[in-house]
Amino acid sequence: MLGVGCWLFAMPASAQSLKECISRALENNYQMHITRNEEEIAHNNATWSNAGGSPVVDASVAYHPTFTNFDKTTSRATGETSTVKNAFDNSLGAGVTLNWTIFDGFKIQTSYKQLQLLEKQGETSTRMAVEDLIADISSDYYNCVQQVIRREHYRYTMALSRERLRIAELNYQTGRFSGLDYQLARSDFHTDSSSYVRQKEAVVKSQIRLNQLMANKELNSSVTISDTIIRVRDNLLLPALWERSLAANTSLLYARQNTQMAELDYKKVTSRNYPYLKLNGQYGYNMYFYDKSVTRERQNLAFSGGLTLGINIFDGNRKRERENAQLNIRNRQLKYDQLQLDLQAQLTTCYQTYRTNLELLSLQQENLRIARNNYESALDRYKLGDLSGFDLRQVQKSLLDAEENVLKVEYDAKMCEITLLLISGDITEFVK
């Protein structure tokens, strides 16, 4: 581990670690709730019935009134003709019907497999959302650490300027320094004080962003973080990261599942080459009432059922849909290959930046040690009157720049580390 200490100070008992912030975000973040609900919907949909494999049973009750203005009937037995006017007949029926597709050319089985695959994709989407949220929380957490460290840098710089102002004022009063040197010291102190005030605002903004990700409704509430330095792992290796990416990267996993979905779409198209078998049945009761007839009413209770066996011989679209399904499979595979290449390029580029930042960090830490020694020597000379206030100010700025360079390289290296772990699927290490 590499790190740089920046004015350590005691943290209160309520300080939050990165793990605690991640846990709170995973529990409360609104987008995580939405994603989990969508996963639950996919789970509920992954049933045999939803694929069309279960029978459909309907129950119905019907009433049909009929008003006849003129009805002329000839008897077949006697040849007599009878005429009925203004007759009102009605019927009442109730029954249960059953329709069940027993076999549909493996379309039902394929649809069920697609629903199960959609359920897996829901799980993959949730995992992807979890990893993205962990990466976002980690990035904003360390940004908050960075802003707090920078605030302490400005506080320290302001303290150095205050000390310079005290010495300049004392020497001015004793006649050793000119009034101009004293006024320059006052001006630099006010400048450093303004920088400190602005940096306090940057700290508050970083805390608001962290509260937003944790779904804390009190966005202005102070977030006290437990880390006072940024520690960067220096043992990540590119071959191991890429091997892990091929096995665990969620984007690649989702792309593979998309290819499988396209293959199942092709099977659904080819299922129309097979015959289908359907079972249907009906059981019902009917009652008829006649207004002006020899038969006043009639009732029946009946059951009917049967099997339907058929095959779609030609529909004009099968060849086109089959060719399109094959092309879609090829496109999904090409997208997977393109995604794999893009991830490899992103991982390799980020890793090179990561290694460069680690090298720069060692150099900048050495520069910081030199800058601190230079300032101590310059301050001693300033107290003796051997160094002007302007020259001391330049040494002081060099010290602040050295501290800022270390912090920036450290933060950039940490962001590379987070990105590398996200691509390789190991970002959950931050919550272990």
Side-chain angles (χ1 to χ4, degrees):
M1 299 291 181
L2 296 175
V4 56
C6 297
W7 314 111
L8 302 179
F9 49 92
M11 303 301 298
S14 59
Q16 298 182 49
S17 65
L18 173 59
K19 183 178 179 180
E20 291 171 336
C21 290
I22 292 175
S23 298
R24 180 172 297 184
L26 292 176
E27 180 180 355
N28 300 328
N29 184 270
Y30 293 114
Q31 186 58 47
M32 281 306 308
H33 284 298
I34 294 173
T35 303
R36 290 192 180 102
N37 289 339
E38 291 173 347
E39 179 187 358
E40 186 66 21
I41 291 173
H43 172 73
N44 294 337
N45 287 338
T47 63
W48 182 255
S49 296
N50 194 33
S54 298
V56 178
V57 180
D58 290 325
S60 62
V61 176
Y63 172 71
H64 297 284
T66 304
F67 178 77
T68 305
N69 184 45
F70 179 81
D71 185 24
K72 184 176 181 180
T73 305
T74 302
S75 174
R76 295 179 58 185
T78 63
E80 296 180 355
T81 300
S82 60
T83 301
V84 178
K85 294 183 179 180
N86 300 325
F88 180 75
D89 302 330
N90 55 85
S91 63
L92 178 66
V96 178
T97 59
L98 168 70
N99 293 284
W100 186 10
T101 301
I102 300 175
F103 179 75
D104 196 12
F106 303 105
K107 181 179 179 181
I108 296 175
Q109 292 87 337
T110 304
S111 296
Y112 181 55
K113 290 180 181 179
Q114 284 186 317
L115 291 173
Q116 290 178 313
L117 184 57
L118 286 173
E119 181 182 16
K120 291 181 180 179
Q121 284 192 313
E123 297 171 356
T124 304
S125 296
T126 299
R127 178 184 160 190
M128 191 182 302
V130 167
E131 292 179 352
D132 289 342
L133 182 58
I134 292 175
D136 289 342
I137 282 287
S138 301
S139 298
D140 282 283
Y141 179 86
Y142 284 109
N143 178 55
C144 193
V145 174
Q146 174 189 221
Q147 299 302 334
V148 170
I149 293 175
R150 185 172 288 118
R151 182 190 64 190
E152 298 309 306
H153 286 171
Y154 282 119
R155 186 200 300 272
Y156 176 65
T157 300
M158 186 174 63
L160 297 181
S161 296
R162 183 184 292 110
E163 176 65 11
R164 175 192 164 197
L165 176 60
R166 185 189 67 80
I167 296 172
E169 183 179 11
L170 179 62
N171 288 330
Y172 171 66
Q173 291 174 350
T174 59
R176 296 182 61 192
F177 283 6
S178 66
L180 177 61
D181 191 82
Y182 171 62
Q183 294 300 327
L184 288 175
R186 287 187 60 188
S187 176
D188 290 339
F189 173 71
H190 292 156
T191 299
D192 293 339
S193 299
S194 299
S195 298
Y196 174 68
V197 171
R198 285 194 296 267
Q199 185 56 35
K200 288 198 297 183
E201 178 187 0
V203 171
V204 172
K205 288 181 178 179
S206 67
Q207 292 177 344
I208 291 175
R209 171 60 180 167
L210 203 55
N211 278 324
Q212 180 183 4
L213 289 175
M214 293 188 296
N216 185 356
K217 295 182 179 180
E218 299 295 332
L219 291 177
N220 289 323
S221 62
S222 176
V223 180
T224 306
I225 53 179
S226 60
D227 290 273
T228 57
I229 60 175
I230 300 176
R231 295 182 175 87
V232 182
R233 291 179 53 179
D234 60 353
N235 59 350
L236 298 178
L237 300 175
L238 183 58
L241 289 170
W242 178 238
E243 182 179 357
R244 180 62 179 165
S245 299
L246 291 175
N249 182 270
T250 49
S251 296
L252 284 178
L253 176 59
Y254 199 89
R256 284 195 292 268
Q257 292 170 341
N258 279 337
T259 302
Q260 296 172 3
M261 186 67 71
E263 293 171 349
L264 291 175
D265 285 334
Y266 177 78
K267 289 184 178 180
K268 288 178 70 173
V269 173
T270 58
S271 68
R272 284 148 57 182
N273 297 330
Y274 296 89
Y276 58 84
L277 179 64
K278 298 181 180 182
L279 170 65
N280 56 77
Q282 182 176 3
Y283 183 77
Y285 170 78
N286 294 284
M287 175 175 287
Y288 302 93
F289 300 94
Y290 303 102
D291 183 18
K292 298 179 180 180
S293 174
V294 176
T295 304
R296 301 296 299 173
E297 65 180 50
R298 181 167 61 88
Q299 304 179 47
N300 64 51
L301 184 65
F303 170 79
S304 63
L307 291 171
T308 301
L309 176 65
I311 186 171
N312 187 295
I313 299 175
F314 178 77
D315 59 12
N317 292 316
R318 195 176 312 175
K319 180 180 179 181
R320 174 185 58 81
E321 292 178 2
R322 182 171 61 249
E323 291 176 350
N324 288 345
Q326 290 175 329
L327 290 172
N328 193 34
I329 294 175
R330 180 59 179 161
N331 281 341
R332 294 290 177 86
Q333 184 60 48
L334 290 172
K335 289 180 180 180
Y336 175 83
D337 295 339
Q338 180 65 54
L339 177 61
Q340 181 175 311
L341 183 63
D342 292 344
L343 285 175
Q344 187 176 14
Q346 183 181 357
L347 185 73
T348 305
T349 302
C350 186
Y351 185 79
Q352 295 304 320
T353 305
Y354 163 76
R355 295 306 309 179
T356 299
N357 281 323
L358 291 182
E359 294 179 14
L360 289 175
L361 184 56
S362 298
L363 296 174
Q364 295 298 338
Q365 286 175 332
E366 179 63 23
N367 285 341
L368 178 58
R369 284 190 288 269
I370 295 173
R372 285 174 177 169
N373 291 334
N374 288 342
Y375 182 79
E376 291 176 0
S377 300
L379 183 61
D380 291 338
R381 292 180 58 191
Y382 180 72
K383 290 178 179 178
L384 296 174
D386 295 337
L387 189 71
S388 67
F390 175 81
D391 291 334
L392 178 64
R393 179 63 175 177
Q394 296 306 309
V395 176
Q396 180 183 346
K397 289 182 63 178
S398 296
L399 174 58
L400 179 61
D401 290 342
E403 290 173 332
E404 181 62 26
N405 289 338
V406 170
L407 179 60
K408 183 180 184 304
V409 172
E410 202 169 38
Y411 177 74
D412 290 344
K414 191 65 180 181
M415 293 303 99
C416 289
E417 176 193 329
I418 292 173
T419 301
L420 292 173
L421 293 178
L422 177 62
I423 295 174
S424 62
D426 291 329
I427 194 66
T428 52
E429 287 187 6
F430 287 115
V431 296
K432 293 180 181 178

